[in-house]
Amino acid sequence: MIDCNAFLGHWAFRRLRRNDADSLVAMMDRFSLAGACVASADAILYRDCQSGNDRLYEETRAYEDRFWLYATLNPAYAGWERDLGRCVALGFKAVRMYPYYHGYDLTDGAAGRLADAAREAGLPISLPCRVVDRRQRHWMDTAEDLDPMAAVAFAEAHPGATFILTESFLSGPPEADHWRRMRGLDFYVEMSRSTALLDKPLDAMVKALGAERVLLGTGFPFKSPSPAFLKIKCLDAAPASKEQITSTNARRLFGAGG
């Protein structure tokens, strides 16, 4: 299995436990995860994201066969093109964007230029709808959640790019407009924010998008990893579909190895 939404590093507003590479690998071994696609928690709030990316790269070298890396980039920061080139050279596998923390909108030209550059580099673009629950935020953490439909509109404006929506909560019947629009894109949804049983949003997601568009994610260490595996266990889907969600889709996006 592959975790498509994990972090290493620190968070300014609360302590993260087990937030180093050794602890993340221990969690992965406990839950039989072969690999994880990991982002830098430091890079979200650093003025210069690349210093967080560089630290992420260095910390994961001891386990390079277990990790794929997200490159956190801020298109509103001078020099992001250089940073993208460095991350590509280091073998990062996807781009991570946080418009609500980095002070830009997805409709801005800078965001579009980053999306186009990521597409040209062959890297998927990850858009988290949030980092932490708004009800639990520190009073100085004033960021708003990303509207999932803003992410869909951004993907529609950049055809040919691959998008991964994380930390989203989506439901509704398969014929709903948001699902129809997603099906017309190269668009994946990660399931760490969905609930295990209440209204069964993961079941709705799989029925609407198909198992080939859904990804396993834990949100660790911002979240406990256990609920993610409960959701997969409770999912009303064939074993082959669960394998797509927990493994095949991620390997197709990020490559066969770490």
Side-chain angles (χ1 to χ4, degrees):
M1 295 189 292
I2 308 296
D3 182 356
C4 293
N5 186 35
F7 296 84
L8 289 176
H10 300 86
W11 188 239
F13 302 109
R14 70 177 173 93
R15 179 187 175 190
L16 297 178
R17 297 179 298 167
R18 297 179 291 167
N19 58 334
D20 57 75
D22 290 341
S23 298
L24 179 53
V25 168
M27 182 280 286
M28 293 161 59
D29 290 343
R30 177 185 174 192
F31 290 99
S32 300
L33 287 163
C37 199
V38 186
S40 167
D42 298 313
I44 301 172
L45 297 178
Y46 280 178
R47 185 175 66 89
D48 178 5
C49 297
Q50 187 57 31
S51 55
N53 294 330
D54 287 338
R55 180 177 178 180
L56 176 69
Y57 176 82
E58 293 299 330
E59 188 171 357
T60 55
R61 288 313 82 208
Y63 303 102
E64 60 183 11
D65 61 330
R66 302 290 299 275
F67 291 123
W68 294 266
L69 304 182
Y70 285 111
T72 298
L73 297 173
N74 177 5
Y77 185 78
W80 68 262
E81 295 98 333
R82 174 203 61 215
D83 296 338
L84 174 60
R86 173 171 171 77
C87 289
V88 170
L90 290 175
F92 282 65
K93 294 299 185 181
V95 167
R96 177 64 68 85
M97 299 174 69
Y98 297 94
Y100 39 85
Y101 279 110
H102 292 161
Y104 64 91
D105 192 272
L106 288 178
T107 60
D108 294 348
R113 288 189 288 274
L114 174 52
D116 292 339
R119 182 195 64 221
E120 291 174 8
L123 302 184
I125 301 159
S126 170
L127 295 168
C129 287
R130 68 179 190 184
V131 177
V132 295
D133 191 325
R134 294 179 64 186
R135 297 167 296 181
Q136 302 168 352
R137 289 181 185 171
H138 188 278
W139 64 273
M140 293 185 70
D141 184 358
T142 59
E144 297 291 329
D145 290 356
L146 177 66
D147 182 350
M149 298 319 297
V152 172
F154 186 54
E156 290 173 332
H158 299 279
T162 300
F163 291 87
I164 304 169
L165 188 67
T166 66
E167 293 291 336
S168 64
F169 189 89
L170 296 163
S171 59
E175 63 272 14
D177 183 65
H178 58 279
W179 297 128
R180 178 190 59 78
R181 292 170 66 185
M182 289 180 195
R183 287 194 295 267
L185 302 164
D186 193 3
F187 201 93
Y188 294 77
V189 178
E190 175 266 342
M191 41 68 75
S192 65
R193 190 173 168 185
S194 64
T195 57
L197 296 173
L198 184 63
D199 296 330
K200 294 193 174 184
L202 181 56
D203 291 60
M205 189 187 302
V206 172
K207 290 176 182 177
L209 286 180
E212 67 275 9
R213 301 286 197 94
V214 180
L215 300 167
L216 169 69
T218 65
F220 185 84
F222 285 97
K223 297 178 177 179
S224 170
S226 301
F229 303 97
L230 176 62
K231 295 168 195 176
I232 295 297
K233 184 175 181 179
C234 294
L235 176 64
D236 184 15
S241 295
K242 292 185 178 183
E243 184 175 359
Q244 286 182 294
I245 295 167
T246 60
S247 178
T248 309
N249 298 337
R251 294 181 186 278
R252 183 173 67 250
L253 279 170
F254 305 124

mmCIF file of all heavy atoms in Angstrom, residues 1 8-9 13 19 25 41 89 102 104 116 160 183 208 219 223:
data_model
loop_
_atom_site.group_PDB
_atom_site.id
_atom_site.type_symbol
_atom_site.label_atom_id
_atom_site.label_comp_id
_atom_site.label_asym_id
_atom_site.label_seq_id
_atom_site.Cartn_x
_atom_site.Cartn_y
_atom_site.Cartn_z
ATOM 1 N N MET A 1 0.839 -1.197 0.000
ATOM 2 C CA MET A 1 0.000 0.000 0.000
ATOM 3 C C MET A 1 0.875 1.249 0.000
ATOM 4 O O MET A 1 2.001 1.241 0.483
ATOM 5 C CB MET A 1 -0.917 0.006 1.229
ATOM 6 C CG MET A 1 -1.951 -1.122 1.241
ATOM 7 S SD MET A 1 -3.172 -0.907 2.574
ATOM 8 C CE MET A 1 -2.115 -1.188 4.005
ATOM 9 N N LEU A 8 6.488 15.364 6.807
ATOM 10 C CA LEU A 8 7.616 15.389 7.735
ATOM 11 C C LEU A 8 7.890 16.841 8.087
ATOM 12 O O LEU A 8 7.690 17.734 7.261
ATOM 13 C CB LEU A 8 8.862 14.771 7.103
ATOM 14 C CG LEU A 8 8.871 13.258 6.885
ATOM 15 C CD1 LEU A 8 10.145 12.845 6.158
ATOM 16 C CD2 LEU A 8 8.751 12.518 8.205
ATOM 17 N N GLY A 9 8.344 17.069 9.311
ATOM 18 C CA GLY A 9 8.696 18.422 9.700
ATOM 19 C C GLY A 9 7.858 18.945 10.848
ATOM 20 O O GLY A 9 7.215 18.176 11.570
ATOM 21 N N PHE A 13 2.017 26.040 14.842
ATOM 22 C CA PHE A 13 0.888 26.300 15.729
ATOM 23 C C PHE A 13 0.593 25.184 16.726
ATOM 24 O O PHE A 13 -0.216 25.353 17.619
ATOM 25 C CB PHE A 13 -0.368 26.595 14.901
ATOM 26 C CG PHE A 13 -0.183 27.764 13.962
ATOM 27 C CD1 PHE A 13 -0.096 27.563 12.601
ATOM 28 C CD2 PHE A 13 -0.075 29.048 14.457
ATOM 29 C CE1 PHE A 13 0.078 28.630 11.738
ATOM 30 C CE2 PHE A 13 0.103 30.123 13.611
ATOM 31 C CZ PHE A 13 0.181 29.922 12.237
ATOM 32 N N ASN A 19 7.186 13.021 13.834
ATOM 33 C CA ASN A 19 7.235 13.801 12.602
ATOM 34 C C ASN A 19 8.596 13.769 11.916
ATOM 35 O O ASN A 19 8.916 14.628 11.110
ATOM 36 C CB ASN A 19 6.852 15.259 12.892
ATOM 37 C CG ASN A 19 7.753 15.910 13.928
ATOM 38 O OD1 ASN A 19 8.334 15.235 14.766
ATOM 39 N ND2 ASN A 19 7.863 17.226 13.872
ATOM 40 N N VAL A 25 8.569 5.942 9.018
ATOM 41 C CA VAL A 25 8.815 4.580 8.526
ATOM 42 C C VAL A 25 8.282 3.554 9.522
ATOM 43 O O VAL A 25 7.717 2.519 9.122
ATOM 44 C CB VAL A 25 10.317 4.376 8.257
ATOM 45 C CG1 VAL A 25 10.631 2.900 8.023
ATOM 46 C CG2 VAL A 25 10.744 5.196 7.044
ATOM 47 N N ALA A 41 6.122 19.754 6.051
ATOM 48 C CA ALA A 41 5.280 20.639 6.851
ATOM 49 C C ALA A 41 5.977 21.978 7.071
ATOM 50 O O ALA A 41 5.326 23.029 7.134
ATOM 51 C CB ALA A 41 4.946 19.986 8.188
ATOM 52 N N ALA A 89 15.449 17.907 -10.620
ATOM 53 C CA ALA A 89 16.767 17.278 -10.682
ATOM 54 C C ALA A 89 17.000 16.330 -9.510
ATOM 55 O O ALA A 89 17.691 15.312 -9.660
ATOM 56 C CB ALA A 89 17.848 18.359 -10.705
ATOM 57 N N HIS A 102 0.053 30.937 1.054
ATOM 58 C CA HIS A 102 1.108 31.652 0.339
ATOM 59 C C HIS A 102 0.627 32.938 -0.320
ATOM 60 O O HIS A 102 1.384 33.574 -1.056
ATOM 61 C CB HIS A 102 1.762 30.723 -0.680
ATOM 62 C CG HIS A 102 2.534 29.614 -0.041
ATOM 63 N ND1 HIS A 102 2.895 28.463 -0.703
ATOM 64 C CD2 HIS A 102 3.009 29.477 1.230
ATOM 65 C CE1 HIS A 102 3.561 27.668 0.122
ATOM 66 N NE2 HIS A 102 3.637 28.268 1.304
ATOM 67 N N TYR A 104 -1.874 33.859 -2.644
ATOM 68 C CA TYR A 104 -2.302 34.036 -4.027
ATOM 69 C C TYR A 104 -3.587 33.274 -4.255
ATOM 70 O O TYR A 104 -4.024 32.481 -3.412
ATOM 71 C CB TYR A 104 -1.216 33.566 -5.009
ATOM 72 C CG TYR A 104 -0.900 32.083 -4.942
ATOM 73 C CD1 TYR A 104 -1.567 31.157 -5.741
ATOM 74 C CD2 TYR A 104 0.081 31.602 -4.073
ATOM 75 C CE1 TYR A 104 -1.278 29.806 -5.671
ATOM 76 C CE2 TYR A 104 0.384 30.253 -4.003
ATOM 77 C CZ TYR A 104 -0.294 29.365 -4.803
ATOM 78 O OH TYR A 104 -0.009 28.034 -4.731
ATOM 79 N N ASP A 116 1.425 25.099 -15.467
ATOM 80 C CA ASP A 116 1.939 24.773 -16.791
ATOM 81 C C ASP A 116 3.357 24.213 -16.714
ATOM 82 O O ASP A 116 3.709 23.272 -17.433
ATOM 83 C CB ASP A 116 1.916 26.022 -17.679
ATOM 84 C CG ASP A 116 0.504 26.480 -18.005
ATOM 85 O OD1 ASP A 116 -0.427 25.658 -17.900
ATOM 86 O OD2 ASP A 116 0.338 27.662 -18.358
ATOM 87 N N GLY A 160 -4.486 18.806 -19.576
ATOM 88 C CA GLY A 160 -3.228 18.098 -19.792
ATOM 89 C C GLY A 160 -2.418 17.921 -18.537
ATOM 90 O O GLY A 160 -1.546 17.056 -18.485
ATOM 91 N N ARG A 183 -14.679 13.936 -13.746
ATOM 92 C CA ARG A 183 -14.484 12.792 -14.646
ATOM 93 C C ARG A 183 -13.915 13.228 -15.993
ATOM 94 O O ARG A 183 -13.297 12.424 -16.698
ATOM 95 C CB ARG A 183 -15.802 12.046 -14.841
ATOM 96 C CG ARG A 183 -16.252 11.244 -13.643
ATOM 97 C CD ARG A 183 -17.362 10.266 -13.992
ATOM 98 N NE ARG A 183 -18.593 10.928 -14.402
ATOM 99 C CZ ARG A 183 -19.609 11.236 -13.596
ATOM 100 N NH1 ARG A 183 -19.529 10.939 -12.308
ATOM 101 N NH2 ARG A 183 -20.687 11.811 -14.064
ATOM 102 N N ALA A 208 -18.737 7.477 -7.953
ATOM 103 C CA ALA A 208 -18.840 8.610 -8.870
ATOM 104 C C ALA A 208 -17.622 8.760 -9.777
ATOM 105 O O ALA A 208 -17.752 9.058 -10.967
ATOM 106 C CB ALA A 208 -19.054 9.896 -8.075
ATOM 107 N N GLY A 219 -2.801 11.522 6.177
ATOM 108 C CA GLY A 219 -2.643 12.828 6.791
ATOM 109 C C GLY A 219 -1.658 12.841 7.944
ATOM 110 O O GLY A 219 -1.531 13.843 8.650
ATOM 111 N N LYS A 223 -2.674 13.773 11.556
ATOM 112 C CA LYS A 223 -3.766 12.885 11.943
ATOM 113 C C LYS A 223 -3.212 11.529 12.361
ATOM 114 O O LYS A 223 -2.127 11.132 11.920
ATOM 115 C CB LYS A 223 -4.733 12.668 10.769
ATOM 116 C CG LYS A 223 -5.449 13.887 10.274
ATOM 117 C CD LYS A 223 -6.319 13.515 9.086
ATOM 118 C CE LYS A 223 -7.118 14.697 8.592
ATOM 119 N NZ LYS A 223 -7.950 14.334 7.416
#
